[in-house]
Amino acid sequence: MNPELSLLETFLHGEKYYLPSVAANNVIFGFNDDQMKVLLLKITATEKWTLPGGFILKDEELIVAAERILKTATGLESVFLQQFGVFGGVDRAKEEMKTLPDQLKNVKISEDSFLLQRFVVIGYLALVKYHLVTPKCDEVTQCEWFDLNNLPPLTFDHNLIVENALKVLRFQLSYLPIGYNLLPEEFPLKSLQLIYETILGRKLDRGNFNKKILSYGILEKKEKFYGGGAHKAPYLYSFKKEIYFNALENGLSKDF
Amino acid sequence: MNPELSLLETFLHGEKYYLPSVAANNVIFGFNDDQMKVLLLKITATEKWTLPGGFILKDEELIVAAERILKTATGLESVFLQQFGVFGGVDRAKEEMKTLPDQLKNVKISEDSFLLQRFVVIGYLALVKYHLVTPKCDEVTQCEWFDLNNLPPLTFDHNLIVENALKVLRFQLSYLPIGYNLLPEEFPLKSLQLIYETILGRKLDRGNFNKKILSYGILEKKEKFYGGGAHKAPYLYSFKKEIYFNALENGLSKDF
DNA sequence: ACAAAAGTGTTTTCGATACACCCATGA
DNA sequence: TCATGGGTGTATCGAAAACACTTTTGT
């Protein structure tokens, strides 16, 4: 749940190191096997899966905390990572949190312990290359990818948080490029189209999608890929990094 | 700065009542005299103007806190009020805060007092009817409307927060209706156009604007308004509330 | 040869934009 | 009657959508 303190230690004296009342949760998206995935973790002793999250050190920038949480769960740094909302319902978590100590080791925790306080959660969304991630498991924590369209019930309001992350992505799709952080170096257009379709939640026309995505001038055509299947081999493409990252800053525009 | 505690009391024992580390700031927009306005306040003894803000009671929903802050500054409730971002830089405020006690009454405040802690600020943006607001002044606090295009230097990172609020509004303009909370019951199209122009930061074509806004079907034509000026009298319009509020939920769409 | 998937082209429609023209009003 | 601002109509352009046709591949 955090790099320095064990869960138990956080219960007992998290307030020494962390900003009280504030936490961060990451919605980490990946793409594999033609599907969008979300990285979830679970404390082995508990029932529900949860978003990777953690607390903010007293002198730590919010984004740095989010990066730290991302690195703990995936080993990755410097990917697309963006704040997308705040979730602060009163008692959104308390009842569920209370059951944690029992499930863990029957430790008695006082009512006013750090983790039982009210937290305002800042949501961050991350896009990462699936194949670069080794979901980090140990004795206490499981970590796994789930299909975005088939998530289990999550702790607290985390299902809501994922939905919000998706909604924000959907809006950004119309003016920002996407894919560089989700796809391997070279990929067929169809993969990118599948990402768009998953985020938008609807099918897109192949011809129109190709025309549009190519018109942005962020893609470079590579070799054909003879991959198997009785059909025409697709060309592979890669992103032109400079143009891609410029578009991330300034928005997409047609290149003519 | 908050309804229950004086500034001094908040300094001394804010932690008894408020969630630590979290605060809310409201960017309150109004429209008058053909211009967008922002409501600012200033503690008389200090230099800079600041956004209306406050803290979150320990068992208070975030949005309720934002409504409370809005009501304190304007007397209004139930207007358009929306969370739009989080601002949490380390030490974004500390140095400026430190000078407050001196300016107020030379009270000695300990280094670890409530107000000198680090705060994560949640930004809310409100749209209100200018003429319904009586900016609330008392001995300690001034409260005034400022032209959006001519804001003074604000405390902390509040100028940045206003800019962000505007950016968010600009995006929403393309898929949500706006104006009901800014205009009187009946108004000429030109007023609405001016709001759009201010938020977008550019001139719009009158003919095209009228066609587009009418195509949404959210407006109802009323009487002509003979107001003065040597020119054709404009029609007045009012919003069709049901359609307007439905569009706020589900987005704007053409009515045919 | 055939099915499946990829690439490419055509047509139509719609919205955004620019701009023209006429109308109403008070000075 | 003239200047000013308001209402409405037209022409153009480009993007989006629907869809057809061709090409390439393994079986």
Side-chain angles (χ1 to χ4, degrees), chain B residues 206-207 210-211 221 230-232 234-235:
Chain B
R206 174 171 44 92
N210 290 6
K211 247 177 299 175
K221 198 182 237 180
H231 51 71
K232 185 174 178 179
Y235 288 99

Short mmCIF file of all heavy atoms in Angstrom, two decimals, chain B residues 206-207 210-211 221 230-232 234-235, chain D residues 2-11:
data_model
loop_
_atom_site.label_atom_id
_atom_site.label_comp_id
_atom_site.label_asym_id
_atom_site.label_seq_id
_atom_site.Cartn_x
_atom_site.Cartn_y
_atom_site.Cartn_z
N ARG B 206 -22.22 36.86 -35.19
CA ARG B 206 -23.57 36.98 -34.64
C ARG B 206 -24.55 36.00 -35.27
O ARG B 206 -25.23 35.24 -34.57
CB ARG B 206 -24.05 38.43 -34.85
CG ARG B 206 -25.47 38.70 -34.48
CD ARG B 206 -25.75 40.20 -34.52
NE ARG B 206 -25.16 40.82 -35.71
CZ ARG B 206 -25.79 40.99 -36.87
NH1 ARG B 206 -27.04 40.58 -37.00
NH2 ARG B 206 -25.20 41.55 -37.89
N GLY B 207 -24.58 36.00 -36.60
CA GLY B 207 -25.52 35.14 -37.29
C GLY B 207 -25.33 33.68 -36.95
O GLY B 207 -26.28 32.96 -36.62
N ASN B 210 -26.33 32.86 -33.29
CA ASN B 210 -27.78 32.77 -33.11
C ASN B 210 -28.34 31.45 -33.66
O ASN B 210 -29.11 30.78 -32.99
CB ASN B 210 -28.47 33.93 -33.84
CG ASN B 210 -28.22 35.27 -33.16
OD1 ASN B 210 -27.44 35.34 -32.20
ND2 ASN B 210 -28.87 36.32 -33.64
N LYS B 211 -27.90 31.12 -34.86
CA LYS B 211 -28.39 29.88 -35.45
C LYS B 211 -28.06 28.68 -34.56
O LYS B 211 -28.92 27.85 -34.27
CB LYS B 211 -27.74 29.68 -36.83
CG LYS B 211 -28.70 29.78 -37.99
CD LYS B 211 -27.96 29.63 -39.32
CE LYS B 211 -26.92 30.73 -39.52
NZ LYS B 211 -26.10 30.53 -40.75
N LYS B 221 -38.55 32.25 -27.37
CA LYS B 221 -38.59 33.66 -27.79
C LYS B 221 -39.69 34.41 -27.03
O LYS B 221 -40.79 33.91 -26.88
CB LYS B 221 -38.87 33.71 -29.29
CG LYS B 221 -38.51 35.03 -29.93
CD LYS B 221 -38.88 35.01 -31.43
CE LYS B 221 -37.69 35.29 -32.30
NZ LYS B 221 -37.98 35.27 -33.74
N ALA B 230 -30.16 53.79 -30.98
CA ALA B 230 -30.81 53.99 -32.28
C ALA B 230 -30.63 52.77 -33.15
O ALA B 230 -29.80 52.72 -34.03
CB ALA B 230 -30.20 55.21 -32.96
N HIS B 231 -31.42 51.77 -32.89
CA HIS B 231 -31.30 50.55 -33.68
C HIS B 231 -32.50 49.65 -33.45
O HIS B 231 -33.33 49.89 -32.58
CB HIS B 231 -30.02 49.83 -33.32
CG HIS B 231 -29.88 49.62 -31.84
ND1 HIS B 231 -30.65 48.73 -31.15
CD2 HIS B 231 -29.10 50.23 -30.93
CE1 HIS B 231 -30.32 48.76 -29.88
NE2 HIS B 231 -29.39 49.68 -29.71
N LYS B 232 -32.54 48.57 -34.22
CA LYS B 232 -33.62 47.61 -34.11
C LYS B 232 -33.69 47.02 -32.71
O LYS B 232 -32.66 46.71 -32.11
CB LYS B 232 -33.36 46.49 -35.12
CG LYS B 232 -34.44 45.47 -35.23
CD LYS B 232 -34.09 44.52 -36.38
CE LYS B 232 -35.13 43.44 -36.52
NZ LYS B 232 -34.79 42.55 -37.66
N PRO B 234 -34.01 44.22 -30.05
CA PRO B 234 -33.78 42.78 -30.05
C PRO B 234 -34.94 42.03 -29.37
O PRO B 234 -35.61 42.58 -28.51
CB PRO B 234 -32.50 42.63 -29.23
CG PRO B 234 -32.52 43.79 -28.29
CD PRO B 234 -33.22 44.91 -29.03
N TYR B 235 -35.14 40.79 -29.78
CA TYR B 235 -36.06 39.94 -29.04
C TYR B 235 -35.41 39.52 -27.73
O TYR B 235 -34.20 39.40 -27.64
CB TYR B 235 -36.37 38.67 -29.86
CG TYR B 235 -37.26 38.92 -31.05
CD1 TYR B 235 -36.72 39.05 -32.32
CD2 TYR B 235 -38.64 39.04 -30.88
CE1 TYR B 235 -37.53 39.29 -33.41
CE2 TYR B 235 -39.46 39.27 -31.98
CZ TYR B 235 -38.90 39.40 -33.24
OH TYR B 235 -39.70 39.64 -34.32
P DC D 2 -29.50 59.66 -46.34
OP1 DC D 2 -29.62 61.04 -46.82
OP2 DC D 2 -29.30 58.55 -47.27
"O5'" DC D 2 -28.35 59.57 -45.23
"C5'" DC D 2 -28.46 60.37 -44.04
"C4'" DC D 2 -28.00 59.59 -42.82
"O4'" DC D 2 -29.14 59.18 -42.02
"C3'" DC D 2 -27.23 58.31 -43.14
"O3'" DC D 2 -26.14 58.21 -42.25
"C2'" DC D 2 -28.26 57.21 -42.88
"C1'" DC D 2 -28.99 57.82 -41.67
N1 DC D 2 -30.36 57.27 -41.43
C2 DC D 2 -30.86 57.22 -40.12
O2 DC D 2 -30.15 57.65 -39.20
N3 DC D 2 -32.11 56.71 -39.90
C4 DC D 2 -32.83 56.25 -40.93
N4 DC D 2 -34.04 55.77 -40.68
C5 DC D 2 -32.33 56.29 -42.27
C6 DC D 2 -31.10 56.79 -42.48
P DA D 3 -24.83 57.40 -42.68
OP1 DA D 3 -23.82 58.36 -43.17
OP2 DA D 3 -25.25 56.25 -43.49
"O5'" DA D 3 -24.35 56.88 -41.25
"C5'" DA D 3 -24.45 57.76 -40.13
"C4'" DA D 3 -24.73 56.96 -38.88
"O4'" DA D 3 -26.11 56.54 -38.85
"C3'" DA D 3 -23.87 55.70 -38.75
"O3'" DA D 3 -23.42 55.61 -37.42
"C2'" DA D 3 -24.84 54.58 -39.12
"C1'" DA D 3 -26.17 55.14 -38.62
N9 DA D 3 -27.35 54.65 -39.33
C8 DA D 3 -27.50 54.45 -40.67
N7 DA D 3 -28.69 54.03 -41.01
C5 DA D 3 -29.39 53.94 -39.81
C6 DA D 3 -30.71 53.57 -39.49
N6 DA D 3 -31.60 53.18 -40.39
N1 DA D 3 -31.06 53.61 -38.18
C2 DA D 3 -30.16 54.01 -37.26
N3 DA D 3 -28.90 54.38 -37.45
C4 DA D 3 -28.58 54.33 -38.75
P DT D 4 -22.41 54.48 -36.99
OP1 DT D 4 -21.45 55.09 -36.04
OP2 DT D 4 -21.97 53.79 -38.21
"O5'" DT D 4 -23.34 53.49 -36.17
"C5'" DT D 4 -24.16 53.97 -35.11
"C4'" DT D 4 -25.04 52.85 -34.65
"O4'" DT D 4 -26.16 52.68 -35.56
"C3'" DT D 4 -24.32 51.50 -34.58
"O3'" DT D 4 -24.42 51.00 -33.27
"C2'" DT D 4 -25.04 50.63 -35.60
"C1'" DT D 4 -26.42 51.31 -35.67
N1 DT D 4 -27.16 51.08 -36.94
C2 DT D 4 -28.51 50.83 -36.87
O2 DT D 4 -29.12 50.78 -35.84
N3 DT D 4 -29.12 50.64 -38.09
C4 DT D 4 -28.52 50.67 -39.34
O4 DT D 4 -29.17 50.48 -40.36
C5 DT D 4 -27.10 50.93 -39.34
C7 DT D 4 -26.35 50.98 -40.63
C6 DT D 4 -26.49 51.13 -38.15
P DG D 5 -23.45 49.80 -32.78
OP1 DG D 5 -22.97 50.13 -31.44
OP2 DG D 5 -22.52 49.47 -33.87
"O5'" DG D 5 -24.50 48.62 -32.64
"C5'" DG D 5 -25.61 48.81 -31.79
"C4'" DG D 5 -26.71 47.91 -32.23
"O4'" DG D 5 -27.07 48.21 -33.60
"C3'" DG D 5 -26.34 46.41 -32.22
"O3'" DG D 5 -27.31 45.74 -31.45
"C2'" DG D 5 -26.36 46.02 -33.68
"C1'" DG D 5 -27.38 47.01 -34.24
N9 DG D 5 -27.31 47.19 -35.67
C8 DG D 5 -26.21 47.46 -36.44
N7 DG D 5 -26.49 47.57 -37.72
C5 DG D 5 -27.86 47.34 -37.79
C6 DG D 5 -28.74 47.33 -38.92
O6 DG D 5 -28.46 47.51 -40.10
N1 DG D 5 -30.04 47.07 -38.53
C2 DG D 5 -30.46 46.85 -37.25
N2 DG D 5 -31.76 46.62 -37.07
N3 DG D 5 -29.66 46.87 -36.19
C4 DG D 5 -28.37 47.12 -36.54
P DG D 6 -27.30 44.19 -31.23
OP1 DG D 6 -27.67 43.93 -29.85
OP2 DG D 6 -26.08 43.65 -31.81
"O5'" DG D 6 -28.52 43.78 -32.16
"C5'" DG D 6 -29.82 44.26 -31.82
"C4'" DG D 6 -30.84 43.58 -32.68
"O4'" DG D 6 -30.65 44.02 -34.05
"C3'" DG D 6 -30.72 42.06 -32.71
"O3'" DG D 6 -32.02 41.50 -32.62
"C2'" DG D 6 -30.04 41.75 -34.02
"C1'" DG D 6 -30.51 42.92 -34.89
N9 DG D 6 -29.56 43.28 -35.94
C8 DG D 6 -28.24 43.62 -35.78
N7 DG D 6 -27.64 43.91 -36.91
C5 DG D 6 -28.62 43.74 -37.86
C6 DG D 6 -28.57 43.91 -39.27
O6 DG D 6 -27.60 44.24 -39.97
N1 DG D 6 -29.80 43.63 -39.86
C2 DG D 6 -30.93 43.25 -39.19
N2 DG D 6 -32.01 43.03 -39.92
N3 DG D 6 -31.00 43.11 -37.88
C4 DG D 6 -29.81 43.36 -37.29
P DG D 7 -32.17 39.92 -32.52
OP1 DG D 7 -33.33 39.65 -31.66
OP2 DG D 7 -30.87 39.31 -32.25
"O5'" DG D 7 -32.58 39.56 -34.01
"C5'" DG D 7 -33.92 39.81 -34.44
"C4'" DG D 7 -34.05 39.39 -35.86
"O4'" DG D 7 -33.01 40.02 -36.63
"C3'" DG D 7 -33.88 37.88 -36.08
"O3'" DG D 7 -35.09 37.39 -36.64
"C2'" DG D 7 -32.69 37.75 -37.01
"C1'" DG D 7 -32.56 39.13 -37.62
N9 DG D 7 -31.20 39.53 -37.96
C8 DG D 7 -30.17 39.72 -37.08
N7 DG D 7 -29.05 40.09 -37.66
C5 DG D 7 -29.38 40.14 -39.02
C6 DG D 7 -28.59 40.49 -40.13
O6 DG D 7 -27.41 40.82 -40.15
N1 DG D 7 -29.31 40.41 -41.32
C2 DG D 7 -30.65 40.05 -41.41
N2 DG D 7 -31.16 40.04 -42.62
N3 DG D 7 -31.40 39.75 -40.37
C4 DG D 7 -30.71 39.80 -39.21
P DT D 8 -35.26 35.84 -36.90
OP1 DT D 8 -36.71 35.61 -36.94
OP2 DT D 8 -34.39 35.09 -35.98
"O5'" DT D 8 -34.69 35.67 -38.38
"C5'" DT D 8 -35.15 36.55 -39.39
"C4'" DT D 8 -34.44 36.26 -40.70
"O4'" DT D 8 -33.12 36.86 -40.70
"C3'" DT D 8 -34.22 34.78 -41.02
"O3'" DT D 8 -34.75 34.52 -42.30
"C2'" DT D 8 -32.70 34.60 -40.98
"C1'" DT D 8 -32.25 36.00 -41.37
N1 DT D 8 -30.88 36.35 -40.96
C2 DT D 8 -29.99 36.76 -41.92
O2 DT D 8 -30.28 36.86 -43.10
N3 DT D 8 -28.73 37.07 -41.44
C4 DT D 8 -28.31 37.00 -40.13
O4 DT D 8 -27.16 37.30 -39.83
C5 DT D 8 -29.29 36.55 -39.18
C7 DT D 8 -28.93 36.44 -37.73
C6 DT D 8 -30.52 36.26 -39.63
P DG D 9 -34.82 33.06 -42.86
OP1 DG D 9 -36.18 32.84 -43.39
OP2 DG D 9 -34.24 32.12 -41.87
"O5'" DG D 9 -33.82 33.14 -44.11
"C5'" DG D 9 -34.02 34.17 -45.08
"C4'" DG D 9 -32.87 34.15 -46.06
"O4'" DG D 9 -31.68 34.63 -45.40
"C3'" DG D 9 -32.53 32.76 -46.61
"O3'" DG D 9 -32.41 32.84 -48.03
"C2'" DG D 9 -31.22 32.40 -45.94
"C1'" DG D 9 -30.59 33.75 -45.66
N9 DG D 9 -29.73 33.78 -44.48
C8 DG D 9 -30.07 33.44 -43.19
N7 DG D 9 -29.08 33.57 -42.35
C5 DG D 9 -28.02 34.02 -43.12
C6 DG D 9 -26.69 34.34 -42.77
O6 DG D 9 -26.17 34.29 -41.66
N1 DG D 9 -25.95 34.77 -43.88
C2 DG D 9 -26.43 34.86 -45.16
N2 DG D 9 -25.58 35.28 -46.09
N3 DG D 9 -27.67 34.57 -45.51
C4 DG D 9 -28.41 34.16 -44.44
P DT D 10 -32.19 31.52 -48.87
OP1 DT D 10 -33.08 31.64 -50.06
OP2 DT D 10 -32.29 30.35 -47.98
"O5'" DT D 10 -30.67 31.65 -49.35
"C5'" DT D 10 -30.18 32.93 -49.75
"C4'" DT D 10 -28.71 32.80 -50.12
"O4'" DT D 10 -27.90 32.95 -48.92
"C3'" DT D 10 -28.33 31.46 -50.73
"O3'" DT D 10 -27.46 31.70 -51.83
"C2'" DT D 10 -27.64 30.72 -49.59
"C1'" DT D 10 -26.98 31.88 -48.85
N1 DT D 10 -26.70 31.65 -47.42
C2 DT D 10 -25.46 31.98 -46.94
O2 DT D 10 -24.57 32.45 -47.63
N3 DT D 10 -25.30 31.75 -45.58
C4 DT D 10 -26.22 31.21 -44.71
O4 DT D 10 -25.95 31.05 -43.52
C5 DT D 10 -27.49 30.88 -45.29
C7 DT D 10 -28.56 30.30 -44.42
C6 DT D 10 -27.67 31.11 -46.60
P DA D 11 -27.04 30.51 -52.76
OP1 DA D 11 -27.22 30.96 -54.15
OP2 DA D 11 -27.65 29.24 -52.30
"O5'" DA D 11 -25.47 30.43 -52.47
"C5'" DA D 11 -24.69 31.63 -52.53
"C4'" DA D 11 -23.25 31.27 -52.23
"O4'" DA D 11 -23.11 31.12 -50.80
"C3'" DA D 11 -22.81 29.95 -52.85
"O3'" DA D 11 -21.48 30.08 -53.36
"C2'" DA D 11 -22.90 28.95 -51.69
"C1'" DA D 11 -22.60 29.83 -50.48
N9 DA D 11 -23.25 29.40 -49.24
C8 DA D 11 -24.53 28.91 -49.09
N7 DA D 11 -24.83 28.62 -47.85
C5 DA D 11 -23.68 28.93 -47.13
C6 DA D 11 -23.35 28.85 -45.77
N6 DA D 11 -24.20 28.41 -44.84
N1 DA D 11 -22.12 29.25 -45.40
C2 DA D 11 -21.28 29.70 -46.35
N3 DA D 11 -21.47 29.83 -47.65
C4 DA D 11 -22.70 29.42 -47.98
#
